[in-house]
């Protein structure tokens, strides 16, 4: 295997950092294995303090020229960037399926088109960030969105391409320069993004990638005082640590931290439709932060819903994510599989009942059966904490008030799903404390809308104007309407 280029399923991809417009090799390496069959995909350059310093220095050096461009002048660069992603769509699909276990069908029909849109939509939306004037009796206030500076972007392993571009789009369109720290368990599509940025002609230093573990490379990056912003998606413990490091330098953070969302089925719900949607919660092996993993079902429709859901789950195809027909793929890493299995074993030992699943799947070492647990206390570990695997819980309720109390009864508040007669479901949904909630639907997203959670599910919002509010410094230029003369009063 070449030390300069990996060959993953026929796709050439660099294992090295991308700093100041060039590939940078590290003597330190870490092994990357595929979750599909544990095959060694290659040895990846790991960032040292020197690499992090070089990336931040390059970004800081590039910032004056990049930020001086208007949004209209930056837009052609970003449009070319998105076009380059499109040219290599099949490569992105193949790489992310192999190194992250993401479904190939999801990559083709959802992730790659969305990745391109993440870049072009924000490039276009940045054109609307014109100076806004607020007129008062005394003065004209000219409100500006100025680029913040050097931005660190830290992405998770469950959706590395989509989430990297979701953050890159507004950060670059606003005029910032970025350093991406990709997930060490799934770094390859971020490396391919660097090739696309290079081919698109982004100036050196505007876009950089430093690979490595969060505890070392990531720690060095988020503690650098030259950063102007940190955008992170991942776990609550890591976010707390990042916030502490950033706090030492008063660096603003955007934190999207996953959830434990409720899937509410009211007594007047369309049971079959709700069950069909419920089976979607197992997609990507349940490694989806916005999935509704806590099923709350009205007692009157409990048995009918469980029977319908079981029917859909039994039809799910568990297997190789590179196969178009596969609907449930592997768990990303042996450590994550061990974590998932531990949750289930402890829940059963604590009195929970397995409705289905609860063990390794025969397809492969890192596959786990779609699982449903019931007879659970609200304060049980598996109800209160994010599992991030194909494991769901089911509880019953007798009234809307009880359903709302159960839905709000965790420290998370990212998403949610509520099925019922539209007016009824909407009324219940509005009382669930969460960042967003779908009524009789799932997965509908628009880049103009805010995305993010409350409580332990995060700080801040991504999407639309909210992204630019974070990635920009808001400045008020005050121009008086009458000649101003300083005066002092003496007593």
């Amino acid at each position: 295997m070449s030390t300069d280029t990996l060959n993953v399923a026929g796709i050439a991809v660099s294992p090295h950092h991308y700093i100041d417009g060039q590939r940078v090799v590290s003597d330190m390496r870490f092994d990357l294995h595929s979750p599909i069959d544990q095959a060694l995909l290659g040895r990846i350059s790991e960032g040292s303090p020197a690499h992090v310093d070089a990336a931040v220095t390059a970004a800081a050096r590039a910032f004056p020229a990049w930020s001086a461009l208007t949004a209209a002048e930056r837009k052609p660069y970003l449009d070319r960037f998105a076009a380059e992603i499109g040219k290599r769509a099949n490569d992105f699909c193949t790489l992310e399926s192999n190194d992250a276990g993401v479904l190939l069908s999801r990559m083709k029909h959802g992730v790659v088109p969305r990745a391109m849109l993440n870049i072009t939509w924000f490039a276009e939306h940045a054109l609307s960030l014109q100076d806004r004037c607020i007129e008062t009796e005394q003065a004209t206030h000219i409100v500006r969105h100025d680029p913040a500076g050097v931005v660190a972007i830290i992405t998770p392993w469950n959706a590395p391409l989509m989430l990297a571009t979701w953050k890159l789009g507004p950060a670059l369109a606003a005029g910032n320069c970025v350093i991406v720290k990709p997930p060490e368990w799934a770094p390859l599509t971020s490396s391919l993004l660097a090739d696309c940025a290079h081919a698109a002609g982004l100036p050196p230093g505007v876009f950089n990638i430093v690979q490595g573990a969060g505890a070392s490379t990531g720690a060095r990056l988020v503690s650098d005082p030259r950063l102007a912003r940190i955008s992170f998606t991942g776990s609550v413990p890591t976010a707390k640590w990042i916030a502490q490091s950033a706090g030492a330098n008063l660096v603003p953070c955007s934190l999207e931290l996953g959830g434990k969302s409720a899937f509410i089925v009211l007594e007047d719900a369309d049971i079959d439709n709700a069950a069909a949607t419920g089976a979607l919660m197992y997609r990507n092996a349940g490694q989806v932060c916005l999935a509704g993993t806590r099923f709350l079902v009205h007692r009157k429709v409990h048995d009918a819903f469980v029977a319908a859901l079981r029917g859909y789950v039994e039809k799910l195809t568990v297997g190789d994510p590179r196969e178009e027909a596969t609907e449930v793929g592997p768990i990303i890493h042996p450590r994550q599989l061990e974590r998932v299995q531990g949750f289930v074993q402890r829940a059963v030992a604590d009195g929970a009942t397995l409705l289905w699943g609860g063990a390794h799947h025969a397809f492969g070492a890192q596959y786990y059966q779609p699982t449903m647990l019931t007879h659970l206390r609200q304060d049980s570990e598996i109800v209160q904490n994010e599992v991030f695997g194909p494991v769901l819980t089911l509880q019953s309720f007798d009234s809307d008030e009880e359903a709302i109390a159960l839905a709000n009864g965790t420290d998370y508040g990212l998403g949610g799903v509520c099925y019922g007669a539209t007016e009824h479901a909407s009324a219940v949904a509005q009382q669930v404390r969460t960042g967003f909630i779908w009524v009789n639907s799932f997965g509908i997203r628009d880049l103009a809308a805010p995305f993010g959670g409350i409580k332990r599910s995060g700080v801040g919002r991504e999407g639309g104007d909210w992204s630019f509010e974070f990635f920009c410094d808001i400045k008020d230029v005050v121009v008086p309407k009458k000649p101003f003369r300083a005066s002092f009063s003496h007593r």
Side-chain angles (χ1 to χ4, degrees):
M1 183 178 292
S2 170
T3 58
D4 295 319
T5 304
L6 304 182
N7 186 313
V8 178
I11 309 301
V13 59
S14 174
H16 305 309
H17 314 297
Y18 182 76
I19 300 172
D20 206 16
Q22 299 181 29
R23 290 291 179 175
V24 177
V25 180
S26 173
D27 291 334
M28 299 186 298
R29 303 290 179 93
F30 60 91
D31 291 342
L32 177 66
H33 294 270
S34 173
I36 299 171
D37 55 9
Q38 297 74 56
L40 179 66
L41 299 179
R43 306 203 70 227
I44 309 299
S45 281
E46 183 164 5
S48 67
H51 293 120
V52 173
D53 179 74
V56 177
T57 298
R61 185 168 54 242
F63 177 69
W66 181 249
S67 62
L69 298 177
T70 65
E73 290 170 330
R74 287 190 290 267
K75 187 176 183 298
Y77 289 97
L78 299 180
D79 287 343
R80 290 196 299 270
F81 187 12
E84 290 295 331
I85 295 172
K87 290 177 184 177
R88 305 202 64 179
N90 290 335
D91 295 351
F92 277 106
C93 293
T94 299
L95 287 176
E96 195 149 298
S97 287
N98 276 275
D99 82 334
V102 178
L103 299 179
L104 185 69
S105 58
R106 181 169 176 260
M107 291 297 299
K108 285 184 177 180
H109 306 299
V111 174
V112 173
R114 170 65 184 274
M116 298 170 63
L117 183 64
N118 285 340
I119 304 297
T120 58
W121 190 92
F122 283 106
E124 178 69 27
H125 194 62
L127 300 177
S128 67
L129 294 181
Q130 304 298 326
D131 294 350
R132 176 186 168 198
C133 291
I134 301 174
E135 300 291 348
T136 67
E137 183 178 346
Q138 291 181 306
T140 297
H141 297 256
I142 304 171
V143 181
R144 294 178 50 83
H145 287 73
D146 289 343
V150 177
V151 171
I153 292 174
I154 303 173
T155 55
W157 43 260
N158 65 314
L161 175 62
M162 198 277 285
L163 291 176
T165 53
W166 192 353
K167 298 172 186 293
L168 278 168
L172 293 172
N176 301 292
C177 296
V178 302
I179 302 105
V180 174
K181 207 295 285 182
E184 58 266 37
W185 289 352
L188 296 185
T189 49
S190 291
S191 181
L192 198 60
L193 276 178
D195 291 342
C196 292
H198 192 88
L202 264 68
V206 169
F207 175 66
N208 307 273
I209 289 180
V210 181
Q211 303 163 140
S216 52
T217 307
R220 178 75 179 192
L221 177 59
V222 299
S223 63
D224 195 299
R226 294 171 291 177
L227 296 182
R229 297 289 189 274
I230 299 171
S231 182
F232 169 76
T233 298
S235 70
V236 171
T238 302
K240 289 181 177 180
W241 184 84
I242 288 174
Q244 289 176 346
S245 297
N249 298 313
L250 293 178
V251 178
C253 295
S254 172
L255 306 171
E256 196 277 281
L257 308 179
K260 192 69 180 174
S261 302
F263 191 116
I264 303 170
V265 182
L266 301 170
E267 60 182 312
D268 52 7
D270 178 333
I271 298 302
D272 186 70
N273 195 19
T277 303
L280 295 178
M281 303 305 110
Y282 289 118
R283 292 285 178 91
N284 210 38
Q287 299 167 127
V288 180
C289 62
L290 49 78
T293 57
R294 290 186 298 131
F295 280 70
L296 309 177
V297 183
H298 197 285
R299 203 173 305 275
K300 289 182 178 179
V301 297
H302 174 276
D303 292 350
F305 175 77
V306 170
L309 179 60
R310 185 193 297 271
Y312 281 106
V313 172
E314 289 175 348
K315 296 175 183 177
L316 291 173
T317 301
V318 179
D320 191 326
R322 297 168 297 190
E323 299 294 332
E324 284 275 359
T326 298
E327 294 166 301
V328 181
I331 301 291
I332 181 74
H333 192 275
R335 291 211 303 268
Q336 181 64 17
L337 177 63
E338 183 179 0
R339 182 176 185 273
V340 171
Q341 186 173 20
F343 266 104
V344 175
Q345 291 173 341
R346 291 189 297 274
V348 172
D350 195 37
T353 298
L354 278 166
L355 287 177
W356 54 76
H360 281 84
H361 194 278
F363 188 84
Q366 281 176 223
Y367 290 77
Y368 200 79
Q369 295 174 354
T371 297
M372 177 68 84
L373 291 151
T374 190
H375 297 142
L376 297 153
R377 301 188 318 274
Q378 178 66 12
D379 65 354
S380 63
E381 177 196 39
I382 202 164
V383 170
Q384 291 294 322
N385 294 300
E386 187 176 45
V387 178
F388 224 61
V391 177
L392 309 176
T393 63
L394 187 143
Q395 298 166 273
S396 299
F397 63 85
D398 293 300
S399 67
D400 289 357
E401 292 74 21
E402 185 182 0
I404 292 164
L406 291 171
N408 292 336
T410 75
D411 290 333
Y412 288 92
L414 181 60
V417 180
C418 189
Y419 266 85
T422 302
E423 186 175 342
H424 183 194
S426 297
V428 170
Q430 290 178 47
Q431 297 179 71
V432 177
R433 297 197 64 231
T434 186
F436 59 91
I437 185 166
W438 288 289
V439 174
N440 296 332
S441 58
F442 176 74
I444 298 173
R445 288 283 299 124
D446 193 285
L447 288 176
F451 180 91
I454 64 173
K455 299 188 281 186
R456 292 178 70 194
S457 285
V459 177
R461 293 292 181 271
E462 298 183 68
D465 293 337
W466 293 271
S467 286
F468 286 113
E469 292 289 321
F470 175 71
F471 285 118
C472 292
D473 288 327
I474 310 303
K475 180 168 62 182
D476 179 16
V477 179
V478 184
V479 182
K481 292 183 175 178
K482 297 179 182 179
F484 179 83
R485 182 177 178 83
S487 64
F488 298 88
S489 60
H490 300 279
R491 299 191 179 189

